[in-house]
mmCIF file of all heavy atoms in Angstrom:
data_model
loop_
_atom_site.group_PDB
_atom_site.id
_atom_site.type_symbol
_atom_site.label_atom_id
_atom_site.label_comp_id
_atom_site.label_asym_id
_atom_site.label_seq_id
_atom_site.Cartn_x
_atom_site.Cartn_y
_atom_site.Cartn_z
ATOM 1 N N SER S 14 0.811 -1.212 0.000
ATOM 2 C CA SER S 14 0.000 0.000 0.000
ATOM 3 C C SER S 14 0.843 1.259 0.000
ATOM 4 O O SER S 14 0.354 2.323 -0.330
ATOM 5 C CB SER S 14 -0.942 0.000 1.207
ATOM 6 O OG SER S 14 -0.178 -0.070 2.398
ATOM 7 N N GLU S 15 2.114 1.149 0.384
ATOM 8 C CA GLU S 15 2.975 2.318 0.416
ATOM 9 C C GLU S 15 3.421 2.748 -0.971
ATOM 10 O O GLU S 15 3.842 3.874 -1.169
ATOM 11 C CB GLU S 15 4.196 2.035 1.296
ATOM 12 C CG GLU S 15 3.832 1.781 2.744
ATOM 13 C CD GLU S 15 5.021 1.319 3.558
ATOM 14 O OE1 GLU S 15 6.157 1.402 3.076
ATOM 15 O OE2 GLU S 15 4.793 0.855 4.685
ATOM 16 N N GLU S 16 3.341 1.855 -1.932
ATOM 17 C CA GLU S 16 3.790 2.168 -3.281
ATOM 18 C C GLU S 16 2.659 2.850 -4.048
ATOM 19 O O GLU S 16 1.554 2.340 -4.132
ATOM 20 C CB GLU S 16 4.235 0.896 -3.995
ATOM 21 C CG GLU S 16 4.956 1.167 -5.284
ATOM 22 C CD GLU S 16 5.666 -0.060 -5.819
ATOM 23 O OE1 GLU S 16 5.367 -1.177 -5.371
ATOM 24 O OE2 GLU S 16 6.509 0.116 -6.693
ATOM 25 N N THR S 17 2.946 4.008 -4.594
ATOM 26 C CA THR S 17 1.937 4.759 -5.323
ATOM 27 C C THR S 17 1.811 4.231 -6.749
ATOM 28 O O THR S 17 2.665 3.484 -7.230
ATOM 29 C CB THR S 17 2.293 6.254 -5.376
ATOM 30 O OG1 THR S 17 3.477 6.406 -6.171
ATOM 31 C CG2 THR S 17 2.506 6.826 -3.987
ATOM 32 N N LYS S 18 0.743 4.660 -7.427
ATOM 33 C CA LYS S 18 0.568 4.273 -8.823
ATOM 34 C C LYS S 18 1.716 4.798 -9.680
ATOM 35 O O LYS S 18 2.154 4.143 -10.605
ATOM 36 C CB LYS S 18 -0.765 4.795 -9.362
ATOM 37 C CG LYS S 18 -1.948 3.991 -8.938
ATOM 38 C CD LYS S 18 -3.193 4.455 -9.652
ATOM 39 C CE LYS S 18 -4.366 3.587 -9.291
ATOM 40 N NZ LYS S 18 -5.560 3.921 -10.064
ATOM 41 N N GLU S 19 2.211 5.990 -9.347
ATOM 42 C CA GLU S 19 3.325 6.563 -10.105
ATOM 43 C C GLU S 19 4.585 5.710 -9.933
ATOM 44 O O GLU S 19 5.302 5.457 -10.896
ATOM 45 C CB GLU S 19 3.590 7.997 -9.659
ATOM 46 C CG GLU S 19 4.642 8.698 -10.488
ATOM 47 C CD GLU S 19 4.767 10.163 -10.131
ATOM 48 O OE1 GLU S 19 3.731 10.837 -9.995
ATOM 49 O OE2 GLU S 19 5.909 10.603 -9.978
ATOM 50 N N GLN S 20 4.833 5.251 -8.711
ATOM 51 C CA GLN S 20 5.983 4.386 -8.473
ATOM 52 C C GLN S 20 5.817 3.069 -9.225
ATOM 53 O O GLN S 20 6.776 2.538 -9.778
ATOM 54 C CB GLN S 20 6.162 4.124 -6.984
ATOM 55 C CG GLN S 20 6.639 5.338 -6.215
ATOM 56 C CD GLN S 20 6.557 5.127 -4.716
ATOM 57 O OE1 GLN S 20 5.640 4.482 -4.223
ATOM 58 N NE2 GLN S 20 7.505 5.685 -3.994
ATOM 59 N N THR S 21 4.608 2.544 -9.226
ATOM 60 C CA THR S 21 4.327 1.308 -9.944
ATOM 61 C C THR S 21 4.570 1.503 -11.430
ATOM 62 O O THR S 21 5.182 0.658 -12.085
ATOM 63 C CB THR S 21 2.866 0.869 -9.704
ATOM 64 O OG1 THR S 21 2.680 0.694 -8.308
ATOM 65 C CG2 THR S 21 2.559 -0.421 -10.420
ATOM 66 N N PHE S 22 4.102 2.628 -11.967
ATOM 67 C CA PHE S 22 4.300 2.938 -13.377
ATOM 68 C C PHE S 22 5.792 3.009 -13.690
ATOM 69 O O PHE S 22 6.269 2.423 -14.655
ATOM 70 C CB PHE S 22 3.608 4.268 -13.714
ATOM 71 C CG PHE S 22 3.747 4.675 -15.145
ATOM 72 C CD1 PHE S 22 2.957 4.104 -16.121
ATOM 73 C CD2 PHE S 22 4.675 5.640 -15.508
ATOM 74 C CE1 PHE S 22 3.088 4.477 -17.447
ATOM 75 C CE2 PHE S 22 4.812 6.031 -16.834
ATOM 76 C CZ PHE S 22 4.015 5.445 -17.803
ATOM 77 N N ASP S 23 6.540 3.707 -12.837
ATOM 78 C CA ASP S 23 7.984 3.834 -13.035
ATOM 79 C C ASP S 23 8.673 2.478 -12.972
ATOM 80 O O ASP S 23 9.582 2.191 -13.754
ATOM 81 C CB ASP S 23 8.591 4.771 -11.995
ATOM 82 C CG ASP S 23 8.182 6.220 -12.200
ATOM 83 O OD1 ASP S 23 7.664 6.566 -13.286
ATOM 84 O OD2 ASP S 23 8.373 7.019 -11.252
ATOM 85 N N SER S 24 8.243 1.644 -12.053
ATOM 86 C CA SER S 24 8.812 0.311 -11.921
ATOM 87 C C SER S 24 8.543 -0.519 -13.170
ATOM 88 O O SER S 24 9.428 -1.223 -13.665
ATOM 89 C CB SER S 24 8.220 -0.375 -10.694
ATOM 90 O OG SER S 24 8.655 -1.701 -10.617
ATOM 91 N N ARG S 25 7.330 -0.427 -13.673
ATOM 92 C CA ARG S 25 6.983 -1.151 -14.901
ATOM 93 C C ARG S 25 7.845 -0.677 -16.062
ATOM 94 O O ARG S 25 8.355 -1.484 -16.835
ATOM 95 C CB ARG S 25 5.511 -0.961 -15.240
ATOM 96 C CG ARG S 25 4.579 -1.727 -14.353
ATOM 97 C CD ARG S 25 3.159 -1.413 -14.718
ATOM 98 N NE ARG S 25 2.243 -2.300 -14.047
ATOM 99 C CZ ARG S 25 0.935 -2.277 -14.234
ATOM 100 N NH1 ARG S 25 0.402 -1.410 -15.061
ATOM 101 N NH2 ARG S 25 0.162 -3.119 -13.596
ATOM 102 N N LEU S 26 7.998 0.629 -16.181
ATOM 103 C CA LEU S 26 8.818 1.166 -17.264
ATOM 104 C C LEU S 26 10.264 0.701 -17.142
ATOM 105 O O LEU S 26 10.909 0.403 -18.147
ATOM 106 C CB LEU S 26 8.758 2.695 -17.280
ATOM 107 C CG LEU S 26 7.473 3.309 -17.795
ATOM 108 C CD1 LEU S 26 7.585 4.834 -17.784
ATOM 109 C CD2 LEU S 26 7.134 2.823 -19.183
ATOM 110 N N ALA S 27 10.759 0.623 -15.927
ATOM 111 C CA ALA S 27 12.130 0.166 -15.716
ATOM 112 C C ALA S 27 12.302 -1.274 -16.202
ATOM 113 O O ALA S 27 13.300 -1.601 -16.851
ATOM 114 C CB ALA S 27 12.512 0.285 -14.246
ATOM 115 N N HIS S 28 11.329 -2.125 -15.914
ATOM 116 C CA HIS S 28 11.404 -3.518 -16.366
ATOM 117 C C HIS S 28 11.365 -3.595 -17.891
ATOM 118 O O HIS S 28 12.123 -4.368 -18.495
ATOM 119 C CB HIS S 28 10.262 -4.355 -15.778
ATOM 120 C CG HIS S 28 10.490 -4.755 -14.360
ATOM 121 N ND1 HIS S 28 11.419 -5.686 -13.990
ATOM 122 C CD2 HIS S 28 9.907 -4.336 -13.213
ATOM 123 C CE1 HIS S 28 11.392 -5.844 -12.680
ATOM 124 N NE2 HIS S 28 10.479 -5.026 -12.182
ATOM 125 N N ILE S 29 10.506 -2.816 -18.499
ATOM 126 C CA ILE S 29 10.410 -2.813 -19.964
ATOM 127 C C ILE S 29 11.697 -2.242 -20.567
ATOM 128 O O ILE S 29 12.203 -2.746 -21.573
ATOM 129 C CB ILE S 29 9.174 -2.018 -20.439
ATOM 130 C CG1 ILE S 29 7.887 -2.633 -19.855
ATOM 131 C CG2 ILE S 29 9.114 -1.950 -21.943
ATOM 132 C CD1 ILE S 29 7.662 -4.099 -20.161
ATOM 133 N N ALA S 30 12.255 -1.212 -19.956
ATOM 134 C CA ALA S 30 13.517 -0.644 -20.440
ATOM 135 C C ALA S 30 14.639 -1.674 -20.364
ATOM 136 O O ALA S 30 15.540 -1.671 -21.211
ATOM 137 C CB ALA S 30 13.870 0.598 -19.631
ATOM 138 N N ASN S 31 14.587 -2.545 -19.368
ATOM 139 C CA ASN S 31 15.606 -3.589 -19.254
ATOM 140 C C ASN S 31 15.599 -4.513 -20.465
ATOM 141 O O ASN S 31 16.641 -5.021 -20.870
ATOM 142 C CB ASN S 31 15.413 -4.402 -17.977
ATOM 143 C CG ASN S 31 15.850 -3.646 -16.746
ATOM 144 O OD1 ASN S 31 16.592 -2.677 -16.824
ATOM 145 N ND2 ASN S 31 15.376 -4.094 -15.600
ATOM 146 N N VAL S 32 14.428 -4.732 -21.059
ATOM 147 C CA VAL S 32 14.343 -5.564 -22.263
ATOM 148 C C VAL S 32 15.133 -4.910 -23.393
ATOM 149 O O VAL S 32 15.852 -5.589 -24.138
ATOM 150 C CB VAL S 32 12.875 -5.794 -22.692
ATOM 151 C CG1 VAL S 32 12.794 -6.499 -24.037
ATOM 152 C CG2 VAL S 32 12.140 -6.594 -21.637
ATOM 153 N N ILE S 33 15.037 -3.597 -23.491
ATOM 154 C CA ILE S 33 15.793 -2.877 -24.517
ATOM 155 C C ILE S 33 17.285 -3.029 -24.264
ATOM 156 O O ILE S 33 18.063 -3.273 -25.194
ATOM 157 C CB ILE S 33 15.366 -1.395 -24.555
ATOM 158 C CG1 ILE S 33 13.906 -1.304 -24.987
ATOM 159 C CG2 ILE S 33 16.270 -0.584 -25.480
ATOM 160 C CD1 ILE S 33 13.283 0.047 -24.786
ATOM 161 N N SER S 34 17.680 -2.927 -23.006
ATOM 162 C CA SER S 34 19.096 -3.091 -22.658
ATOM 163 C C SER S 34 19.601 -4.495 -22.998
ATOM 164 O O SER S 34 20.694 -4.654 -23.542
ATOM 165 C CB SER S 34 19.318 -2.817 -21.170
ATOM 166 O OG SER S 34 19.016 -1.488 -20.873
ATOM 167 N N VAL S 35 18.807 -5.495 -22.669
ATOM 168 C CA VAL S 35 19.191 -6.876 -22.976
ATOM 169 C C VAL S 35 19.308 -7.059 -24.483
ATOM 170 O O VAL S 35 20.277 -7.652 -24.975
ATOM 171 C CB VAL S 35 18.179 -7.880 -22.374
ATOM 172 C CG1 VAL S 35 18.414 -9.290 -22.921
ATOM 173 C CG2 VAL S 35 18.258 -7.880 -20.858
ATOM 174 N N THR S 36 18.341 -6.545 -25.220
ATOM 175 C CA THR S 36 18.360 -6.665 -26.677
ATOM 176 C C THR S 36 19.612 -6.024 -27.259
ATOM 177 O O THR S 36 20.304 -6.609 -28.103
ATOM 178 C CB THR S 36 17.102 -6.020 -27.284
ATOM 179 O OG1 THR S 36 15.952 -6.649 -26.735
ATOM 180 C CG2 THR S 36 17.083 -6.155 -28.796
ATOM 181 N N GLU S 37 19.903 -4.822 -26.767
ATOM 182 C CA GLU S 37 21.092 -4.103 -27.242
ATOM 183 C C GLU S 37 22.349 -4.894 -26.927
ATOM 184 O O GLU S 37 23.235 -5.060 -27.765
ATOM 185 C CB GLU S 37 21.145 -2.712 -26.589
ATOM 186 C CG GLU S 37 22.300 -1.840 -27.039
ATOM 187 C CD GLU S 37 23.570 -2.050 -26.230
ATOM 188 O OE1 GLU S 37 23.489 -2.459 -25.062
ATOM 189 O OE2 GLU S 37 24.654 -1.804 -26.780
ATOM 190 N N ARG S 38 22.442 -5.385 -25.713
ATOM 191 C CA ARG S 38 23.631 -6.124 -25.293
ATOM 192 C C ARG S 38 23.801 -7.390 -26.132
ATOM 193 O O ARG S 38 24.900 -7.681 -26.611
ATOM 194 C CB ARG S 38 23.518 -6.469 -23.808
ATOM 195 C CG ARG S 38 24.649 -7.251 -23.200
ATOM 196 C CD ARG S 38 25.979 -6.509 -23.181
ATOM 197 N NE ARG S 38 25.922 -5.211 -22.592
ATOM 198 C CZ ARG S 38 26.258 -4.900 -21.348
ATOM 199 N NH1 ARG S 38 26.702 -5.831 -20.536
ATOM 200 N NH2 ARG S 38 26.187 -3.668 -20.921
ATOM 201 N N LEU S 39 22.740 -8.152 -26.309
ATOM 202 C CA LEU S 39 22.850 -9.413 -27.053
ATOM 203 C C LEU S 39 23.143 -9.178 -28.531
ATOM 204 O O LEU S 39 23.826 -9.973 -29.171
ATOM 205 C CB LEU S 39 21.577 -10.232 -26.881
ATOM 206 C CG LEU S 39 21.302 -10.753 -25.476
ATOM 207 C CD1 LEU S 39 19.972 -11.489 -25.433
ATOM 208 C CD2 LEU S 39 22.430 -11.627 -24.972
ATOM 209 N N HIS S 40 22.624 -8.091 -29.052
ATOM 210 C CA HIS S 40 22.797 -7.818 -30.480
ATOM 211 C C HIS S 40 24.178 -7.240 -30.782
ATOM 212 O O HIS S 40 24.844 -7.664 -31.724
ATOM 213 C CB HIS S 40 21.705 -6.861 -30.969
ATOM 214 C CG HIS S 40 21.755 -6.596 -32.436
ATOM 215 N ND1 HIS S 40 21.382 -7.535 -33.373
ATOM 216 C CD2 HIS S 40 22.159 -5.505 -33.126
ATOM 217 C CE1 HIS S 40 21.547 -7.024 -34.578
ATOM 218 N NE2 HIS S 40 22.018 -5.788 -34.460
ATOM 219 N N PHE S 41 24.588 -6.240 -30.003
ATOM 220 C CA PHE S 41 25.807 -5.510 -30.318
ATOM 221 C C PHE S 41 27.044 -5.984 -29.555
ATOM 222 O O PHE S 41 28.167 -5.819 -30.028
ATOM 223 C CB PHE S 41 25.619 -4.007 -30.066
ATOM 224 C CG PHE S 41 24.642 -3.380 -31.005
ATOM 225 C CD1 PHE S 41 23.406 -2.965 -30.552
ATOM 226 C CD2 PHE S 41 24.946 -3.220 -32.348
ATOM 227 C CE1 PHE S 41 22.488 -2.384 -31.420
ATOM 228 C CE2 PHE S 41 24.041 -2.646 -33.226
ATOM 229 C CZ PHE S 41 22.813 -2.224 -32.758
ATOM 230 N N ARG S 42 26.849 -6.547 -28.352
ATOM 231 C CA ARG S 42 27.998 -6.971 -27.549
ATOM 232 C C ARG S 42 27.723 -8.310 -26.866
ATOM 233 O O ARG S 42 27.766 -8.419 -25.641
ATOM 234 C CB ARG S 42 28.314 -5.903 -26.508
ATOM 235 C CG ARG S 42 28.680 -4.559 -27.127
ATOM 236 C CD ARG S 42 28.974 -3.532 -26.095
ATOM 237 N NE ARG S 42 27.816 -3.405 -25.204
ATOM 238 C CZ ARG S 42 27.783 -2.608 -24.152
ATOM 239 N NH1 ARG S 42 28.802 -1.878 -23.833
ATOM 240 N NH2 ARG S 42 26.705 -2.528 -23.400
ATOM 241 N N PRO S 43 27.438 -9.342 -27.645
ATOM 242 C CA PRO S 43 27.065 -10.622 -27.024
ATOM 243 C C PRO S 43 28.157 -11.219 -26.139
ATOM 244 O O PRO S 43 27.850 -11.913 -25.164
ATOM 245 C CB PRO S 43 26.764 -11.522 -28.228
ATOM 246 C CG PRO S 43 27.455 -10.883 -29.380
ATOM 247 C CD PRO S 43 27.490 -9.409 -29.090
ATOM 248 N N ASN S 44 29.413 -10.946 -26.446
ATOM 249 C CA ASN S 44 30.497 -11.499 -25.625
ATOM 250 C C ASN S 44 30.566 -10.856 -24.247
ATOM 251 O O ASN S 44 31.152 -11.414 -23.329
ATOM 252 C CB ASN S 44 31.837 -11.335 -26.336
ATOM 253 C CG ASN S 44 31.907 -12.182 -27.593
ATOM 254 O OD1 ASN S 44 31.232 -13.196 -27.707
ATOM 255 N ND2 ASN S 44 32.708 -11.748 -28.547
ATOM 256 N N ASP S 45 29.986 -9.658 -24.103
ATOM 257 C CA ASP S 45 29.980 -8.962 -22.818
ATOM 258 C C ASP S 45 28.718 -9.238 -22.003
ATOM 259 O O ASP S 45 28.604 -8.772 -20.875
ATOM 260 C CB ASP S 45 30.075 -7.443 -23.030
ATOM 261 C CG ASP S 45 31.397 -7.035 -23.641
ATOM 262 O OD1 ASP S 45 32.389 -7.757 -23.456
ATOM 263 O OD2 ASP S 45 31.422 -5.986 -24.306
ATOM 264 N N ALA S 46 27.786 -9.955 -22.582
ATOM 265 C CA ALA S 46 26.491 -10.167 -21.930
ATOM 266 C C ALA S 46 26.629 -11.105 -20.735
ATOM 267 O O ALA S 46 27.205 -12.186 -20.836
ATOM 268 C CB ALA S 46 25.484 -10.732 -22.921
#
């Protein structure tokens, strides 16, 4: 209950942004992944 909708939204965006980071890493620098 302490987490606001805005915090939840930000958390969701962070998880989705991580997918972009993983994609970038696997595509451009797979040896560093």
Side-chain angles (χ1 to χ4, degrees):
S14 59
E15 297 172 12
E16 191 167 16
T17 67
K18 282 188 176 186
E19 185 173 315
Q20 289 169 324
T21 301
F22 180 79
D23 290 345
S24 174
R25 286 177 170 183
L26 286 182
H28 282 289
I29 301 304
N31 285 342
V32 172
I33 295 168
S34 296
V35 169
T36 302
E37 182 273 334
R38 179 65 53 98
L39 294 177
H40 184 73
F41 293 109
R42 299 180 303 177
N44 293 334
D45 295 334

